[in-house]
Amino acid sequence: MAESVSFVLKEAAVSQEQRETGSAAAPGQSSVASDLVDTRRFLRAGSLLREVLFELDAAGRLILASPAWERLVGAPVHAWTGRALVELFHPEDRDQARALLRTASSRTDVPTRLELRMASGGPQPRWVELSATGDPEHLGGVLGTLVDVTPRRLAEEAAATRERYLGAMVEVQRRLLAPEAASDLYNSILEPLGRVAGASRAYVFEFHRDATGRMLQSQRAEWCAPGVSRELDNPDTQAWPVDQAFELHQLEQLHRGEAVQGKPEDFGADNARVLLGQGIRSLLVLPLVVHGEPFGFIGFDNCDDARPWSHVEVKLLSGAAGALSLALEQYTTDALRMRTETALRRTEAGFHLLIEGFPDPVVVHTTDGMLLSVNPAMANYLGYQDPAELLGRHLLGLVRREDQEVARRHLEEAQDGALAARSHEVPLVRRDGQVVSADLVTLGVLFDGVPARVTVARDFTERKHMQAQLMLGDRLASMGMLAAGIAHELNNPLSYVLSNLEFLHRALGPMPRPLGAEELLEYQQVLDDAREGSERMRQIVRQLKVFSRVDDAHEEAVDVHRVLDSVAQMAASEIRPRARLVKQYGSVPTVRANEGKLFQVFLNLVINAAQAIPEGFTDEHEIRLITRVDDDGRVVVDVRDTGRGIAPELLRRIFDPFFTTKAPGQGTGLGLSICDTIVRALGGSIAAESTPGHGATFRVTLHAAARAARVA
């Protein structure tokens, strides 16, 4: 890879120089002249790719880059030639970039990768994945690629924001149930709202009038993050004229029920001095409307930076402000008499307001799955004109029959007030019969005074595509690491196949005489050996084909023993210098799975087990593969090693994406996360247990295939 990239870049430079100077190729260049046409065609095709190919000198300065550079950076390559590549990145990320390039310059076997922010200066950071490896032809030189990963990062951040806000909204609904007074309403919800909004302060102001009828505002409640000064007792926050606190157009926005946000200077020069004195760098104000009249506002201060709140955040926080407004209406009309009777209806109406305005598809259902409420986004997602068409139906009726068991297990995980483990893919059936893949999150709530569930669905298509790319990248990384060992496994049988065939060719040459019985027996043995070697090579090629197969959706009855045997043969070069491999197979049925995916799971686990054991102590260590059936009829596979083990504080994080205990450049941190994703998608589970210094055991539990034959 490194040599081919280097050749393309260098030959492109020679070709460009000859075109610019009009000079012909020197006699010494005749050996590469025939390759220049192919090189130019490669570069022309490369201009259609997202990835940027580049080459750096030993000082980290840009020498050459592919045409995609200008699309990514916004400047031509020649404007950057000779500049240090680290200048491309955000100042806070440049030390990481230097460390990666320093590591890459000394390695030509495995590329190092890191996601970094570009020094774009825009409101939203741009992220790129930097991959680099050493140039084998130039000491200290670096070859690498740049890929724009901003859309994926933004999608992940948006999904995480929506989940976080949904949890906060459920908590707000719970706290609004039965406060003793209006002030308790404020104090009960400011803390969860302030935290989820990432604010330094959250507070409530109420409007009132002085003797002349002028509208004033006074602070009634406040929550502050640790280390942030309280302003509740500040005289400037009491009896402050509203027309001095806001600009005219901002007051008009509040009266229309719209949010107002900005920096202190956006609120007028006099007001800005007060806000800046409180350490505020940006603020968000949401109106409270009671009985159709302005009642006050709920506000959020940011004292760390001047970032704005996103449209999604403002919409969700506005829903919380609406729920608070509904609660306040109850306290302004005979609240003492009606408190017990109307508290539940009040919070229920606020909860409906949150659900109706939520941008993702949402349903509320009973614990056994009967639909109680459906928001417009869900109706539209499933192709219905009116959400009422779905009310009273069973949630599992929206799921394909063959997937209902997976959906049922997901829903059972959600307890009252708890977040269910995510079902990575649940196909839902639209009204027109089309199947869409959805990602579900379920929480336990109270609805009509009884336990219920709220389920949020997000379109799984883009995430599924990203997961497929990550899984393919993990396969390629494993294949690259095992390439030398696989070549060795192929070379051994190939050598004696060729040797035996050469022997037969010489022995059976002219055939001047008939063969004796002993000679025939010897030649038959030679042919048997050659056939055995050919069969070994065929098995290795089959394993490579299964492992690299892209058909990830196909599932069938899979023999786990055959998969484990293939993994053992593929990883033999990693295991052999470190430990003995012991197979302790029980009598187990086949499992319902995808053979290529299952191969990827166990190859990752076996390679990790081998790499946890130092080389040179084969007699002292072992890797044991154990299969059995548990009490529930599920197939259990243990991958057990006698390596260094895993520390308790790391054990709970090993399945997190991008978490790795390996040295920089030696692991992506995605292997175990991908294993967890694959196994959960199959309806199984994966767990680990370890004692430092005494090895580790990874346990994979899978469901048996229906009416499967048992495998001895």
Side-chain angles (χ1 to χ4, degrees):
M1 170 66 180
E3 290 82 352
S4 63
V5 173
S6 178
F7 173 78
V8 168
L9 293 172
K10 291 176 174 58
E11 293 305 305
V14 172
S15 176
Q16 180 67 23
E17 181 179 358
Q18 291 174 356
R19 289 198 300 271
E20 292 176 352
T21 61
S23 61
Q29 297 172 326
S30 60
S31 61
V32 298
S34 61
D35 296 324
L36 294 180
V37 173
D38 290 340
T39 300
R40 288 194 294 270
R41 293 171 64 187
F42 176 84
L43 288 176
R44 189 175 300 115
S47 66
L48 302 175
L49 300 176
R50 289 189 310 146
E51 293 84 358
V52 174
L53 298 175
F54 65 84
E55 182 178 9
L56 307 179
D57 61 16
R61 296 186 293 262
L62 185 67
I63 300 176
L64 295 169
S66 64
W69 173 278
E70 186 168 350
R71 291 200 302 269
L72 177 66
V73 178
V77 176
H78 65 78
W80 273 81
T81 303
R83 292 177 60 181
L85 183 70
V86 295
E87 295 178 17
L88 183 66
F89 305 111
H90 192 280
E92 295 178 5
D93 292 349
R94 289 175 183 172
D95 287 341
Q96 297 182 65
R98 289 190 185 94
L100 182 144
L101 294 175
R102 192 181 308 115
T103 301
S105 66
S106 60
R107 297 178 61 90
T108 60
D109 49 350
V110 180
T112 55
R113 295 181 176 86
L114 195 62
E115 291 187 2
L116 304 165
R117 292 170 294 177
M118 294 181 63
S120 58
Q124 291 286 352
R126 291 187 64 195
W127 289 84
V128 295
E129 181 188 70
L130 169 63
S131 301
T133 185
D135 187 347
E137 298 180 7
H138 295 89
L139 183 63
V142 173
L143 303 172
T145 62
L146 292 169
V147 181
D148 189 350
V149 296
T150 305
R152 174 176 61 77
R153 296 284 299 220
L154 292 178
E156 291 174 350
E157 291 173 4
T161 297
R162 288 175 177 173
E163 288 183 19
R164 191 173 67 250
Y165 270 82
L166 179 60
M169 299 311 158
V170 172
E171 177 65 12
V172 167
Q173 180 236 5
R174 186 186 67 80
R175 295 190 180 192
L176 285 175
L177 280 174
E180 293 296 326
S183 60
D184 294 326
L185 276 177
Y186 302 152
N187 292 323
S188 65
I189 68 171
L190 286 180
E191 183 263 343
L193 290 179
R195 290 189 184 280
V196 76
S200 305
R201 295 188 193 90
Y203 44 83
V204 173
F205 277 75
E206 290 181 357
F207 294 153
H208 55 96
R209 296 185 183 275
D210 62 8
T212 65
R214 189 179 188 184
M215 184 74 77
L216 308 176
Q217 63 182 41
S218 295
Q219 188 171 356
R220 300 304 188 205
E222 181 182 54
W223 168 85
C224 293
V228 177
S229 63
R230 292 181 59 82
E231 299 295 335
L232 183 59
D233 299 326
N234 186 340
D236 291 333
T237 66
Q238 304 301 322
W240 193 357
V242 174
D243 55 3
Q244 292 181 11
F246 296 93
E247 296 289 283
L248 179 60
H249 71 279
Q250 294 171 337
L251 285 174
E252 292 173 350
Q253 286 179 258
L254 292 176
H255 278 75
R256 291 196 302 266
E258 299 173 2
V260 174
Q261 68 167 311
K263 300 176 183 178
E265 49 267 34
D266 298 331
F267 290 77
D270 293 336
N271 196 22
R273 282 194 292 270
V274 176
L275 298 176
L276 290 171
Q278 298 175 6
I280 299 172
R281 301 185 63 182
S282 65
L283 64 156
L284 169 67
V285 176
L286 302 167
L288 298 174
V289 179
V290 176
H291 295 301
E293 295 294 329
F295 182 86
F297 60 84
I298 180 171
F300 302 88
D301 290 345
N302 191 333
C303 298
D304 296 325
D305 54 53
R307 77 163 183 90
W309 280 264
S310 69
H311 173 73
V312 171
E313 290 177 296
V314 172
K315 191 170 184 178
L316 293 171
L317 290 172
S318 296
L324 178 59
S325 296
L326 289 172
L328 289 169
E329 287 187 0
Q330 302 302 319
Y331 282 95
T332 59
T333 53
D334 200 13
L336 291 177
R337 183 176 59 83
M338 300 293 294
R339 179 186 300 129
T340 302
E341 180 181 344
T342 62
L344 187 58
R345 289 204 304 270
R346 182 190 64 241
T347 53
E348 196 173 292
F351 185 59
H352 275 291
L353 183 62
L354 297 175
I355 296 300
E356 289 292 314
F358 204 71
D360 285 330
V362 179
V363 295
V364 180
H365 51 90
T366 61
T367 55
D368 59 359
M370 194 67 64
L371 297 182
L372 302 174
S373 178
V374 179
N375 77 340
M378 175 62 87
N380 182 64
Y381 183 55
L382 296 178
Y384 292 86
Q385 295 293 328
D386 187 351
E389 298 179 66
L390 291 167
L391 296 181
R393 296 181 57 178
H394 199 283
L395 181 62
L396 294 181
L398 306 177
V399 181
R400 294 188 308 185
R401 183 178 299 275
E402 59 267 31
D403 299 305
Q404 288 182 359
E405 182 60 32
V406 174
R408 182 179 291 107
R409 286 198 302 271
H410 165 76
L411 296 177
E412 288 174 353
E413 292 178 4
Q415 304 300 322
D416 293 342
L419 183 68
R422 180 172 308 164
S423 177
H424 291 272
E425 182 179 3
V426 176
L428 302 179
V429 182
R430 288 170 48 89
R431 185 177 191 176
D432 57 9
Q434 180 185 356
V435 176
V436 291
S437 295
D439 188 21
L440 301 186
V441 175
T442 299
L443 301 113
V445 297
L446 286 177
F447 193 84
D448 274 340
V450 297
R453 304 286 184 265
V454 56
T455 295
V456 182
R458 287 199 309 272
D459 189 13
F460 191 75
T461 306
E462 181 61 27
R463 180 174 172 181
K464 184 177 180 182
H465 178 65
M466 289 189 293
Q467 283 184 348
Q469 290 181 323
L470 290 176
M471 289 182 185
L472 180 59
D474 182 68
R475 292 186 185 188
L476 294 177
S478 298
M479 196 64 69
M481 180 175 61
L482 297 174
I486 295 171
H488 179 73
E489 294 293 327
L490 284 170
N491 191 56
N492 279 345
L494 182 62
S495 62
Y496 67 73
V497 168
L498 293 175
S499 176
N500 286 356
L501 292 177
E502 180 64 25
F503 168 75
L504 287 174
H505 178 72
R506 290 196 309 269
L508 300 177
M511 289 293 292
R513 57 183 174 78
L515 298 175
E518 292 184 359
E519 289 177 312
L520 284 174
L521 186 60
E522 179 184 5
Y523 295 159
Q524 183 179 358
Q525 183 63 46
V526 170
L527 285 173
D528 288 343
D529 290 345
R531 185 172 61 181
E532 180 184 348
S534 301
E535 178 62 22
R536 284 185 58 188
M537 289 186 287
R538 188 178 72 86
Q539 289 296 331
I540 293 174
V541 171
R542 176 193 168 279
Q543 293 158 13
L544 290 173
K545 182 179 179 182
V546 169
F547 188 45
S548 60
R549 190 170 60 194
V550 190
D551 182 17
D552 288 335
H554 179 65
E555 292 185 4
E556 58 188 355
V558 177
D559 177 0
V560 291
H561 291 165
R562 186 173 72 171
V563 173
L564 292 173
D565 289 341
S566 297
V567 166
Q569 187 173 8
M570 188 74 72
S573 60
E574 286 289 317
I575 301 172
R576 195 176 295 116
R578 294 177 167 90
R580 304 181 308 277
L581 180 66
V582 179
K583 298 177 182 178
Q584 186 178 332
Y585 293 168
S587 177
V588 299
T590 57
V591 298
R592 185 73 181 176
N594 174 276
E595 187 175 4
K597 286 183 176 181
L598 217 54
F599 190 103
Q600 184 173 4
V601 169
F602 290 121
L603 183 64
N604 269 326
L605 297 181
V606 170
I607 289 176
N608 283 351
Q611 292 180 345
I613 300 172
E615 293 188 19
F617 300 93
T618 308
D619 295 336
E620 301 176 15
H621 292 283
E622 71 174 24
I623 296 174
R624 187 175 293 266
L625 305 179
I626 306 170
T627 62
R628 67 181 188 278
V629 177
D630 67 8
D631 295 338
D632 296 324
R634 297 174 300 181
V635 177
V636 180
V637 181
D638 287 350
V639 179
R640 184 177 301 169
D641 67 74
T642 57
R644 58 179 175 269
I646 306 170
E649 64 272 14
L650 302 180
L651 192 61
R652 61 177 179 269
R653 299 183 56 197
I654 57 176
F655 294 108
D656 292 347
F658 305 106
F659 177 76
T660 179
T661 58
K662 297 178 181 178
Q666 294 185 6
T668 62
L670 288 172
L672 289 178
S673 174
I674 288 174
C675 290
D676 182 60
T677 298
I678 293 174
V679 173
R680 284 182 177 272
L682 296 174
S685 63
I686 182 171
E689 56 187 42
S690 175
T691 302
H694 297 279
T697 298
F698 282 82
R699 178 164 297 118
V700 177
T701 304
L702 300 166
H703 290 279
R707 297 182 298 278
R710 298 188 75 81
V711 180

